[in-house]
Amino acid sequence: MLEVLSNIGFDWQVALANFINFLIIFWILKKWVFGPVGKIISERKEKIQAGIDQAQQSETELLVAKQKAEEEIKAARSQANQIVADAKEVADEQIAHAKEKASNEATAIIEKAHTQIEKDKVQMEKELFEQTAGLIALGVQKILDEEVTESKNSELSNRALDILNAQK
Amino acid sequence: MSLGFERTLTPIQPEIVFEVFGFGIANSTLMILLIAVAFLLLGIFVVSKFTLVPGKFQSMIEMVYESIVGLVEQITGNRDHAKKIFPIIATILVYFALANVIAIIPGLTDITYKGVAIFRTPTSDFNTALGVSLASVVVLNAVAFKEYGFLGYLNNFFNIKGVINGFKKGVMDGFVGLIEFFVGLLDIIGELAKVVSLSFRLFGNVYAGQVLAIIIMGAFAYALPAVWTIMSGFTGILQGMVFAALVAVYYTLSLKPVKEITEK
């Protein structure tokens, strides 16, 4: 067998050297070329895939956000309408309340004014009567030419008041 | 006066350029070392310059890489298997490609030392074909060993478990197990046969190509040399492809049963 092999150039030393050299080439290529190139390609693929995934996710998120925004706008509109309606109701209530309050206050003012007028009238009447009584007493004094004492004056005044009161 | 180039056929025997401690260093070995240096430089360039954003050269290398991955996947029909044997298949392909292309460099094979050419196309030496074949089979077995573990791997060649389980079931099953055991032993010879088969086939094709080249170049000296040189380079690459494909097929054929046995 070895003779046959040696006829086609077999030399165990050369064969061993070439075998080892090929294994060295295999190791160099595996460690320094195929490994790094494969790593770079897979890293790039991962990055591209991550980018695509992220883009898809962003698209989905955008759609969800749009939907959410639309829903929120809808809800906000509805809420705004509700607020406006509530505000109108409150405003109406407040206006009514204010009107009522104003009316009550006006009534109270008028009543107070009436009372005051009545009081003033009585006071004025009283003062008028007193002045009138004084004038009468002064007139009587002038007519009678008699000094009207304080007790007399009081008596006359009272009498005059009684007369006036009786005439009322 | 004779027309045509005088060209001699590369000798079939390895040419020893010098000796190191009595160990003969052939010119094919030196050429392989030169190729190893070229790959080492490429490796350094790849590690230092290759980035995620590729340049023209990187794109070209990546294209070659992807093509080889596709080829291996196509042959094995399985992505995981392809990943495992990709380094050895790719090494065979690029090694043969460069070995055949580098020989085209004018004058490289004409440099001599003490009358012996320093460099020689590695594939024209049987020892290269034998070395690569042996290395391929060794690497394939190493891959199988790594994948299936010590017992799983040995089970492929020494199926003692099958014999014991067979006899437990019955005499007939025991004998079947015994036959399978001997078939397993034959697989050891099969592994050696792979080395012989691969190396003979490769060397035969390359050497026959060289003989044919001499005949054709002798006959059509002024018309064909350049074309034929390119053709022979291309044929060398093709031979490398066939070699790599055969290694991949051997892997696919030999390792599937091991997996089945392990699964059982």
Side-chain angles (χ1 to χ4, degrees):
Chain A
M1 180 71 178
L2 275 175
E3 201 182 328
V4 176
L5 287 175
S6 64
N7 282 338
I8 54 168
F10 174 70
D11 181 321
W12 74 268
Q13 288 185 344
V14 180
L16 182 67
N18 290 359
F19 165 73
I20 292 167
N21 281 338
F22 180 76
L23 284 181
I24 290 169
I25 289 175
F26 169 67
W27 181 79
I28 289 171
L29 286 174
K30 191 182 173 187
K31 192 172 172 64
W32 299 68
V33 181
F34 301 138
V37 170
K39 202 178 162 191
I40 285 171
I41 290 173
S42 58
E43 262 177 37
R44 190 185 300 132
K45 275 182 185 168
E46 274 171 21
K47 221 166 194 180
I48 290 168
Q49 194 54 49
I52 292 168
D53 288 347
Q54 215 172 351
Q56 278 174 346
Q57 200 185 337
S58 303
E59 216 171 307
T60 316
E61 277 174 7
L62 185 71
L63 277 174
V64 170
K66 266 185 184 173
Q67 215 167 350
K68 206 176 169 185
E70 274 174 18
E71 275 171 16
E72 277 187 8
I73 288 168
K74 225 183 229 181
R77 268 186 196 149
S78 152
Q79 208 176 347
N81 287 339
Q82 187 62 42
I83 288 167
V84 169
D86 287 351
K88 204 178 172 189
E89 204 176 320
V90 170
D92 287 346
E93 266 178 26
Q94 279 182 348
I95 288 166
H97 184 70
K99 271 182 182 172
E100 196 185 327
K101 200 179 167 187
S103 170
N104 288 344
E105 274 178 8
T107 312
I109 289 165
I110 289 166
E111 271 178 14
K112 206 176 169 185
H114 277 301
T115 314
Q116 191 63 39
I117 288 166
E118 201 63 37
K119 255 186 190 173
D120 290 347
K121 193 181 162 189
V122 171
Q123 183 66 28
M124 280 172 72
E125 276 177 350
K126 196 179 173 185
E127 281 175 10
L128 185 67
F129 283 144
E130 276 172 5
Q131 281 177 5
T132 311
L135 284 171
I136 291 167
L138 198 67
V140 170
Q141 196 178 343
K142 290 270 182 191
I143 294 165
L144 295 177
D145 202 19
E146 187 182 330
E147 197 179 328
V148 179
T149 59
E150 200 168 316
S151 60
K152 193 87 176 173
N153 184 37
S154 179
E155 189 195 330
L156 284 170
S157 296
N158 286 335
R159 278 173 62 191
L161 273 172
D162 291 339
I163 293 162
L164 283 169
N165 282 334
Q167 280 178 345
K168 246 189 203 179
Chain B
M1 186 187 161
S2 64
L3 284 175
F5 291 113
E6 244 186 68
R7 193 179 163 114
T8 51
L9 186 63
T10 314
I12 203 163
Q13 295 298 330
E15 296 166 294
I16 306 296
V17 183
F18 56 87
E19 286 190 356
V20 179
F21 303 115
F23 199 92
I25 304 295
N27 46 11
S28 59
T29 309
L30 290 174
M31 185 65 119
I32 298 171
L33 278 172
L34 187 71
I35 292 166
V37 170
F39 282 136
L40 186 65
L41 292 174
L42 175 72
I44 292 166
F45 186 77
V46 166
V47 170
S48 59
K49 297 282 179 192
F50 278 25
T51 53
L52 277 179
V53 184
K56 278 181 188 171
F57 181 68
Q58 188 180 337
S59 298
M60 196 186 78
I61 296 286
E62 284 180 10
M63 204 174 75
V64 173
Y65 180 94
E66 296 278 16
S67 315
I68 300 172
V69 169
L71 180 77
V72 181
E73 268 184 32
Q74 213 174 347
I75 294 168
T76 55
N78 183 309
R79 197 175 172 79
D80 290 334
H81 281 168
K83 257 186 182 176
K84 275 162 198 153
I85 60 161
F86 168 77
I88 184 67
I89 303 296
T91 303
I92 292 167
L93 280 169
V94 294
Y95 168 72
F96 280 119
L98 191 64
N100 286 289
V101 169
I102 208 168
I104 297 171
I105 296 171
L108 188 70
T109 49
D110 296 329
I111 306 165
T112 56
Y113 175 73
K114 289 181 181 173
V116 181
I118 294 175
F119 299 112
R120 166 181 173 173
T121 311
T123 42
S124 68
D125 185 348
F126 171 71
N127 297 295
T128 306
L130 186 67
V132 175
S133 306
L134 187 62
S136 304
V137 172
V138 166
V139 171
L140 286 190
N141 280 282
V143 169
F145 189 87
K146 199 176 164 187
E147 192 176 353
Y148 302 114
F150 182 71
L151 288 176
Y153 175 72
L154 280 186
N155 207 34
N156 198 29
F157 302 114
F158 307 102
N159 194 5
I160 301 165
K161 208 176 168 183
V163 178
I164 295 165
N165 288 338
F167 276 113
K168 273 182 186 171
K169 280 182 190 171
V171 181
M172 276 306 288
D173 287 332
F175 277 113
V176 171
L178 214 56
I179 292 165
E180 279 176 0
F181 176 76
F182 285 114
V183 170
L185 291 179
L186 280 175
D187 280 345
I188 298 170
I189 299 164
E191 291 299 304
L192 295 173
K194 279 178 195 171
V195 177
V196 176
S197 152
L198 282 171
S199 56
F200 275 40
R201 197 206 58 78
L202 178 67
F203 178 69
N205 278 318
V206 173
Y207 201 77
Q210 281 189 349
V211 173
L212 202 61
I214 296 297
I215 295 165
I216 291 173
M217 284 167 85
F220 308 101
Y222 296 99
L224 281 176
V227 179
W228 190 260
T229 307
I230 293 163
M231 263 296 274
S232 60
F234 176 73
T235 313
I237 294 166
L238 200 69
Q239 287 304 327
M241 265 186 87
V242 174
F243 189 96
L246 280 172
V247 172
V249 169
Y250 284 153
Y251 170 80
T252 316
L253 289 176
S254 66
L255 292 185
K256 271 181 181 168
V258 175
K259 192 166 188 182
E260 282 166 17
I261 288 162
T262 318
E263 278 168 0
K264 276 178 191 172

